[in-house]
Amino acid sequence: MTRSIGEIASYHAHVYFVPGEASEASARLLREEVGDRFAVQLGTWWDRPVGPHALAMFQIAFAPDLFAGLVPWLMLNHKGLSILIHPNTANQRRDHVVDPIWIGTALPVDETVLADEDGEAELRGAVNTTPTVTP
Ligand code: ZN
């Protein structure tokens, strides 16, 4: 069955890094740069793997209408970091494992911790950035 993009309530970009290595500083800088440029919700800074994620990371939650601005910007400015971008629809496992895109090197995703049943699609949540720079 052909699916509608109306299924996508929001997107996440997960930015991965290794604590104590150069990638951590790159991720901190990228987080600042995104916050300066885009109205998004920047998530918790996790310095260890959590959930299905194989490395430390932070999450950028964003509304569907930001995709065409933010994702190309991340393509050009990811500083060598791996970034997982997935839609948020009703099925988390499918969103993370079957339907995502990667910027940089793709990493493993532990699908066993993700629900493979339909639930509520996750909305972006409250914007917690105040962009002042044009991307
Ligand atoms: Zn996510």
Side-chain angles (χ1 to χ4, degrees):
M1 189 181 111
T2 303
R3 298 167 63 195
S4 162
I5 58 170
E7 286 184 43
I8 301 174
S10 66
Y11 293 92
H12 288 168
H14 294 274
V15 180
Y16 295 90
F17 61 92
V18 178
E21 296 194 1
S23 63
E24 180 173 17
S26 296
R28 284 197 190 280
L29 179 57
L30 185 66
R31 182 181 171 100
E32 274 182 38
E33 290 179 338
V34 167
D36 287 344
R37 287 164 178 78
F38 298 97
V40 298
Q41 185 182 61
L42 295 173
T44 302
W45 183 268
W46 293 102
D47 56 11
R48 58 183 170 81
V50 290
H53 305 288
L55 286 182
M57 61 87 198
F58 73 93
Q59 169 184 298
I60 304 164
F62 58 101
D65 65 359
L66 224 59
F67 187 97
L70 177 57
V71 175
W73 189 90
L74 289 170
M75 288 173 174
L76 301 184
N77 294 288
H78 67 100
K79 308 178 194 309
L81 301 169
S82 293
I83 304 178
L84 167 69
I85 297 169
H86 68 80
N88 287 308
T89 72
N91 187 295
Q92 289 196 1
R93 185 176 297 184
R94 186 182 56 201
D95 291 344
H96 286 77
V97 178
V98 181
D99 298 336
I101 58 174
W102 285 88
I103 297 173
T105 304
L107 299 172
V109 173
D110 180 8
E111 62 182 284
T112 64
V113 303
L114 294 166
D116 188 22
E117 56 196 29
D118 282 0
E120 285 287 305
E122 187 176 329
L123 296 168
R124 178 201 59 214
V127 169
N128 61 4
T129 60
T130 48
T132 57
V133 179
T134 302

